Amino acid sequence: MKWIKPSLYFLAFSLPLCLLSAFTAQVQAQSDHSNKTWQISQTFKPPQRGKPPASAGGSTRGGSCITGKKLITPLIPPDKLGLTFAQRPTFFWYVPASKVKTAKFLLLAEDQNVFYETSFPLPNKPGIVGFKLPDSAPALAVGKTYHWYLTIVCDAQDSSENPTVDGWVERTQPGSPLSEALAKANLYKLPSIYAEAGIWHEALTSLVQLRRTEPNNLKARLDWRQFFKSVGLSAIASEPLIDCCTSKNSPPN
């Protein structure tokens, strides 16, 4: 294969001058394309861990204030446990159209005591919403698992009418090789690195950031769909991203 490079140089010098710059740009573009490791398919690979405890009884996905057939859906892996490196990670849900505009978020520690709770207003239209634990919330401890609940307040007096979903979050720490890879990565590479490592919250958060930064990027859209498909969430992959949500307990910016 040693003849390839000389042949390319011969071809370049044999081209008319007006085409030389176009030829050079095409070769460079092909080289750049081959070096973009972020183009690996965004398939989430869950870590090999024990499953979290079973959900508490009484949780429901329906409710009198939900309109239409779609249900509130947490964006979490099939085993309902999401790993994070963050002290205060971001949680995501698909929230359908509803007659009410308030949701409650509850986070329990391993001893079942309330670790953090708040409420926030819901958007006026259905879609995927995210809630980041504010700076006023306590930081998650490394190696601890927390049980969270999201409730849409249909009826403030009768909680049985309030649709609720739940899941778990556990904070962990990256090893040295992963830390080095993350430090060198740009926004395009981050989703693949997190997804390969099984770090759910940062994998999804970085994909959301990429979608918001480059909404017309076809590769980002395809990776988004592949990521959702890999965890059984294809049904909501086409739902819009909605700007939301800020805790009512958070101080104003």
Side-chain angles (χ1 to χ4, degrees), residues 69-236:
K69 296 181 179 180
K70 293 188 176 180
L71 304 175
I72 178 174
T73 305
L75 272 58
I76 51 178
D79 66 0
K80 303 184 72 173
L81 172 63
L83 297 184
T84 183
F85 291 147
Q87 293 182 345
R88 299 173 181 86
T90 302
F91 301 81
F92 292 93
W93 306 271
Y94 166 74
V95 177
S98 68
K99 301 175 184 177
V100 298
K101 303 304 175 186
T102 301
K104 288 187 176 180
F105 179 79
L106 174 65
L107 195 61
L108 300 180
E110 290 181 337
D111 59 7
Q112 297 303 303
N113 287 325
V114 175
F115 184 78
Y116 176 75
E117 63 180 329
T118 189
S119 60
F120 52 81
L122 293 172
N124 294 322
K125 53 186 177 180
I128 295 171
V129 304
F131 172 70
K132 183 182 185 304
L133 291 181
D135 292 341
S136 58
L140 302 187
V142 174
K144 299 294 184 180
T145 302
Y146 302 83
H147 195 178
W148 60 258
Y149 296 83
L150 181 76
T151 301
I152 296 180
V153 185
C154 294
D155 189 331
Q157 304 301 321
D158 184 2
S159 60
S160 65
E161 292 296 318
N162 298 334
T164 300
V165 291
D166 67 328
W168 284 263
V169 58
E170 179 182 329
R171 185 183 170 200
T172 185
Q173 288 182 315
S176 296
L178 182 54
S179 294
E180 293 174 3
L182 291 171
K184 297 176 182 178
N186 56 28
L187 182 57
Y188 301 104
K189 295 180 180 180
L190 283 175
S192 290
I193 295 175
Y194 283 123
E196 181 73 21
I199 307 302
W200 174 262
H201 285 269
E202 280 71 56
L204 181 54
T205 299
S206 59
L207 277 173
V208 169
Q209 292 174 342
L210 184 56
R211 282 292 308 277
R212 293 191 184 281
T213 302
E214 299 189 20
N216 298 321
N217 186 317
L218 178 59
K219 185 60 174 64
R221 296 173 71 89
L222 293 175
D223 284 345
W224 173 271
R225 289 183 176 276
Q226 178 60 34
F227 182 85
F228 275 56
K229 180 180 179 181
S230 70
V231 291
L233 293 173
S234 295
I236 59 173

